[in-house]
Coordinates of all heavy atoms in Angstrom, one line a residue:
Chain B
A65 N 10.7 -17.5 18.1 CA 10.1 -18.8 17.7 C 9.3 -18.6 16.4 O 8.6 -17.7 16.3 CB 9.3 -19.4 18.9
A66 N 9.4 -19.6 15.5 CA 8.6 -19.5 14.3 C 7.1 -19.5 14.7 O 6.8 -20.2 15.6 CB 9.0 -20.8 13.4
P67 N 6.3 -18.9 13.9 CA 6.6 -18.0 12.9 C 6.8 -16.6 13.2 O 6.3 -15.6 12.4 CB 5.4 -18.1 12.0 CG 4.2 -18.3 13.0 CD 4.9 -18.9 14.3
G68 N 7.5 -16.2 14.2 CA 7.8 -14.8 14.5 C 8.7 -14.2 13.5 O 9.3 -14.9 12.7
A69 N 8.8 -12.8 13.6 CA 9.5 -12.1 12.6 C 11.0 -12.2 12.8 O 11.8 -11.8 11.9 CB 9.2 -10.6 12.8
L70 N 11.5 -12.8 13.8 CA 13.0 -13.0 14.0 C 13.3 -14.6 13.9 O 14.5 -14.9 14.2 CB 13.4 -12.5 15.4 CG 13.6 -11.0 15.5 CD1 14.0 -10.6 17.0 CD2 14.7 -10.5 14.7
A71 N 12.4 -15.2 13.5 CA 12.6 -16.7 13.4 C 13.7 -17.0 12.4 O 13.8 -16.5 11.4 CB 11.3 -17.5 13.1
L72 N 14.5 -18.0 12.7 CA 15.6 -18.6 11.8 C 15.8 -20.0 12.2 O 15.8 -20.3 13.3 CB 16.9 -17.7 12.1 CG 17.9 -18.0 11.1 CD1 17.6 -17.5 9.6 CD2 19.2 -17.2 11.4
E73 N 16.1 -20.8 11.2 CA 16.4 -22.2 11.5 C 17.5 -22.3 12.3 O 18.6 -21.7 12.1 CB 16.6 -22.9 10.1 CG 16.3 -24.3 10.1 CD 16.6 -25.0 8.8 OE1 15.9 -24.6 7.8 OE2 17.5 -25.9 8.7
G74 N 17.3 -23.0 13.3 CA 18.5 -23.3 14.3 C 18.5 -22.3 15.5 O 19.3 -22.4 16.3
R75 N 17.6 -21.1 15.4 CA 17.7 -20.1 16.4 C 16.8 -20.5 17.4 O 15.6 -20.5 17.3 CB 17.3 -18.8 15.7 CG 17.3 -17.5 16.6 CD 17.0 -16.3 16.0 NE 18.2 -15.7 15.3 CZ 18.0 -14.7 14.5 NH1 17.0 -14.2 14.1 NH2 19.2 -14.3 13.8
T76 N 17.3 -20.7 18.7 CA 16.4 -21.1 19.8 C 16.4 -20.0 20.9 O 15.4 -19.9 21.7 CB 17.0 -22.4 20.5 OG1 18.3 -22.1 20.8 CG2 16.9 -23.6 19.7
T77 N 17.3 -19.0 20.8 CA 17.3 -17.9 21.8 C 17.1 -16.6 20.9 O 17.6 -16.6 19.9 CB 18.4 -17.9 22.7 OG1 19.6 -17.8 21.9 CG2 18.5 -19.1 23.6
P78 N 16.6 -15.6 21.7 CA 16.6 -14.3 21.0 C 17.8 -13.8 20.4 O 18.9 -14.0 21.0 CB 16.0 -13.4 22.0 CG 15.3 -14.1 23.0 CD 15.9 -15.5 23.1
P79 N 17.9 -13.4 19.2 CA 19.2 -13.0 18.7 C 19.7 -11.7 19.2 O 19.0 -10.7 19.3 CB 18.8 -12.7 17.1 CG 17.4 -12.3 17.2 CD 16.8 -13.0 18.2
Y80 N 20.8 -11.7 19.8 CA 21.5 -10.5 20.3 C 22.6 -10.0 19.4 O 23.2 -10.9 18.6 CB 22.0 -10.8 21.7 CG 20.9 -11.0 22.7 CD1 20.7 -12.3 23.1 CD2 20.1 -9.9 23.1 CE1 19.6 -12.6 23.9 CE2 19.0 -10.3 23.9 CZ 18.8 -11.5 24.4 OH 17.7 -11.8 25.3
E81 N 22.9 -8.7 19.4 CA 23.9 -8.2 18.4 C 25.2 -8.8 18.6 O 26.0 -9.1 17.7 CB 23.9 -6.6 18.6 CG 22.6 -6.0 18.3 CD 22.2 -6.0 16.9 OE1 23.0 -6.2 16.0 OE2 20.9 -5.9 16.6
T82 N 25.7 -9.0 19.9 CA 26.9 -9.5 20.1 C 26.8 -10.4 21.5 O 25.9 -10.1 22.2 CB 28.1 -8.4 20.4 OG1 27.6 -7.6 21.5 CG2 28.3 -7.6 19.2
G83 N 27.7 -11.2 21.6 CA 27.7 -12.0 22.8 C 26.7 -13.2 22.9 O 26.0 -13.4 22.0
A84 N 26.7 -13.8 24.1 CA 25.8 -15.0 24.2 C 24.5 -14.7 24.5 O 24.1 -13.6 24.9 CB 26.5 -15.9 25.2
A85 N 23.6 -15.6 24.4 CA 22.2 -15.5 24.8 C 22.1 -15.1 26.3 O 22.9 -15.5 27.1 CB 21.5 -16.9 24.6
G86 N 21.2 -14.2 26.5 CA 21.1 -13.7 27.9 C 21.9 -12.5 28.2 O 21.7 -12.0 29.2
V87 N 22.6 -12.0 27.2 CA 23.3 -10.8 27.4 C 22.5 -9.7 26.7 O 22.1 -9.8 25.6 CB 24.7 -10.8 26.7 CG1 25.4 -9.5 26.8 CG2 25.6 -11.9 27.4
W88 N 22.2 -8.6 27.4 CA 21.5 -7.5 27.0 C 22.5 -6.8 25.9 O 23.5 -6.3 26.4 CB 21.1 -6.6 28.1 CG 19.9 -5.6 27.7 CD1 19.2 -5.6 26.6 CD2 19.3 -4.7 28.6 NE1 18.3 -4.7 26.6 CE2 18.3 -4.0 27.7 CE3 19.5 -4.2 29.9 CZ2 17.6 -3.0 28.2 CZ3 18.7 -3.2 30.4 CH2 17.8 -2.6 29.5
D89 N 22.0 -6.7 24.7 CA 23.0 -6.3 23.7 C 23.2 -4.8 23.3 O 24.0 -4.5 22.6 CB 22.7 -7.1 22.4 CG 21.2 -6.9 22.0 OD1 20.4 -6.2 22.6 OD2 20.9 -7.5 20.9
E90 N 22.3 -3.9 23.9 CA 22.4 -2.5 23.5 C 22.6 -2.3 22.1 O 23.7 -1.6 21.7 CB 23.6 -1.8 24.3 CG 23.1 -1.5 25.8 CD 23.9 -0.4 26.3 OE1 23.7 0.7 25.8 OE2 24.8 -0.6 27.1
P91 N 21.7 -2.5 21.2 CA 22.0 -2.2 19.8 C 21.9 -0.7 19.5 O 21.2 0.0 20.4 CB 20.8 -2.8 19.1 CG 19.7 -3.1 20.1 CD 20.6 -3.2 21.4
R92 N 22.6 -0.2 18.5 CA 22.5 1.2 18.3 C 21.6 1.6 17.2 O 21.1 2.8 17.1 CB 24.1 1.6 17.7 CG 25.1 1.7 18.8 CD 24.6 2.7 19.9 NE 25.7 2.9 20.9 CZ 25.5 3.2 22.1 NH1 24.2 3.2 22.6 NH2 26.5 3.4 23.0
D93 N 21.1 0.6 16.5 CA 20.2 0.9 15.4 C 19.4 -0.4 15.0 O 19.7 -1.4 15.5 CB 21.0 1.4 14.1 CG 20.2 2.4 13.4 OD1 19.0 2.4 13.4 OD2 20.8 3.2 12.7
L94 N 18.3 -0.2 14.2 CA 17.6 -1.3 13.7 C 18.7 -2.3 13.0 O 19.7 -1.8 12.4 CB 16.6 -1.0 12.8 CG 15.4 -0.2 13.4 CD1 14.4 0.2 12.3 CD2 14.6 -1.1 14.4
S95 N 18.4 -3.5 13.0 CA 19.3 -4.4 12.3 C 18.6 -5.7 12.0 O 17.3 -5.9 12.4 CB 20.6 -4.7 13.2 OG 20.2 -5.8 14.2
S96 N 19.3 -6.7 11.4 CA 18.6 -8.0 11.1 C 18.1 -8.6 12.5 O 17.4 -9.7 12.4 CB 19.5 -8.8 10.3 OG 20.6 -9.1 10.9
K97 N 18.7 -8.3 13.6 CA 18.4 -8.9 14.8 C 17.5 -8.0 15.7 O 17.1 -8.4 16.8 CB 19.6 -9.2 15.7 CG 20.5 -10.2 14.7 CD 21.8 -10.4 15.5 CE 22.7 -11.3 14.6 NZ 24.2 -11.0 15.0
T98 N 17.4 -6.7 15.3 CA 16.6 -5.8 16.2 C 15.6 -5.1 15.3 O 15.8 -4.3 14.5 CB 17.6 -4.7 16.8 OG1 18.5 -5.4 17.5 CG2 16.8 -3.7 17.5
L99 N 14.3 -5.6 15.6 CA 13.2 -5.1 14.8 C 12.6 -3.8 15.3 O 11.9 -3.0 14.7 CB 12.1 -6.1 14.8 CG 12.5 -7.4 14.4 CD1 11.2 -8.3 14.5 CD2 13.1 -7.4 13.0
S100 N 12.8 -3.4 16.6 CA 12.2 -2.3 17.2 C 13.3 -1.6 18.2 O 14.0 -2.5 18.9 CB 11.0 -2.6 18.0 OG 10.7 -1.6 19.0
I101 N 13.5 -0.3 18.1 CA 14.6 0.2 18.9 C 14.2 1.5 19.6 O 13.4 2.3 19.0 CB 15.9 0.3 18.1 CG1 17.1 0.8 19.0 CG2 15.7 1.5 17.0 CD1 18.4 0.7 18.4
I102 N 14.7 1.6 20.9 CA 14.4 3.0 21.5 C 15.5 3.9 21.3 O 16.8 3.3 21.6 CB 14.1 2.7 23.1 CG1 12.9 2.0 23.3 CG2 14.1 4.1 23.8 CD1 11.5 2.8 22.9
K103 N 15.4 5.0 20.8 CA 16.5 5.9 20.6 C 16.1 7.2 21.5 O 15.0 7.4 21.9 CB 16.7 6.4 19.1 CG 17.1 5.2 18.2 CD 17.4 5.6 16.9 CE 17.9 4.5 16.0 NZ 18.0 4.8 14.6
V104 N 17.2 8.0 21.7 CA 16.9 9.2 22.6 C 17.4 10.4 21.9 O 18.5 10.4 21.2 CB 17.6 9.0 23.9 CG1 19.2 8.9 23.8 CG2 17.2 10.1 24.8
Y105 N 16.7 11.4 22.1 CA 17.1 12.8 21.6 C 17.7 13.5 22.9 O 17.0 13.5 24.0 CB 16.1 13.6 21.1 CG 16.3 15.1 21.2 CD1 17.1 15.8 20.2 CD2 15.6 15.9 22.1 CE1 17.3 17.1 20.4 CE2 15.8 17.3 22.2 CZ 16.7 17.9 21.3 OH 16.9 19.2 21.5
K106 N 18.8 14.1 22.9 CA 19.4 14.8 24.1 C 19.9 16.2 23.7 O 20.5 16.3 22.6 CB 20.5 14.0 24.7 CG 20.1 12.8 25.5 CD 21.1 12.2 26.5 CE 22.3 11.7 25.8 NZ 23.1 10.9 26.7
S107 N 19.8 17.2 24.5 CA 20.5 18.3 24.3 C 21.0 19.0 25.5 O 20.2 18.9 26.6 CB 19.6 19.4 23.4 OG 18.8 20.1 24.4
G108 N 22.1 19.6 25.6 CA 22.6 20.2 26.7 C 22.7 19.3 27.9 O 23.3 18.3 27.8
T109 N 22.2 19.9 29.0 CA 22.4 19.0 30.3 C 21.3 17.8 30.2 O 21.4 17.0 31.1 CB 22.0 20.0 31.5 OG1 20.8 20.5 31.3 CG2 23.1 21.0 31.6
A110 N 20.3 17.9 29.3 CA 19.4 16.7 29.2 C 18.7 16.5 30.5 O 18.6 15.3 30.9 CB 20.1 15.6 28.6
V111 N 18.2 17.5 31.2 CA 17.5 17.2 32.4 C 16.0 17.3 32.3 O 15.3 16.8 33.1 CB 18.0 18.1 33.6 CG1 19.4 17.7 34.0 CG2 17.8 19.5 33.2
N112 N 15.5 18.0 31.2 CA 14.0 18.3 31.1 C 13.5 17.3 30.2 O 13.7 17.3 29.0 CB 13.9 19.6 30.6 CG 14.6 20.7 31.4 OD1 14.4 20.7 32.6 ND2 15.3 21.6 30.9
K113 N 12.6 16.4 30.7 CA 12.0 15.4 29.9 C 11.0 16.2 28.8 O 10.2 17.1 29.1 CB 11.2 14.5 30.7 CG 10.8 13.2 29.8 CD 10.1 12.2 30.7 CE 10.0 10.8 29.9 NZ 9.1 11.0 28.7

Side-chain angles (χ1 to χ4, degrees):
Chain B
L70 282 171
L72 186 67
E73 206 181 297
R75 180 177 277 169
T76 50
T77 55
Y80 294 102
E81 300 291 338
T82 54
V87 174
W88 200 2
D89 57 353
E90 276 210 76
R92 286 299 187 216
D93 214 332
L94 293 174
S95 76
S96 58
K97 300 170 185 154
T98 300
L99 308 180
S100 167
I101 188 166
I102 295 291
K103 291 181 175 173
V104 66
Y105 157 78
K106 286 202 291 196
S107 88
T109 56
V111 293
N112 304 314
K113 192 172 191 299

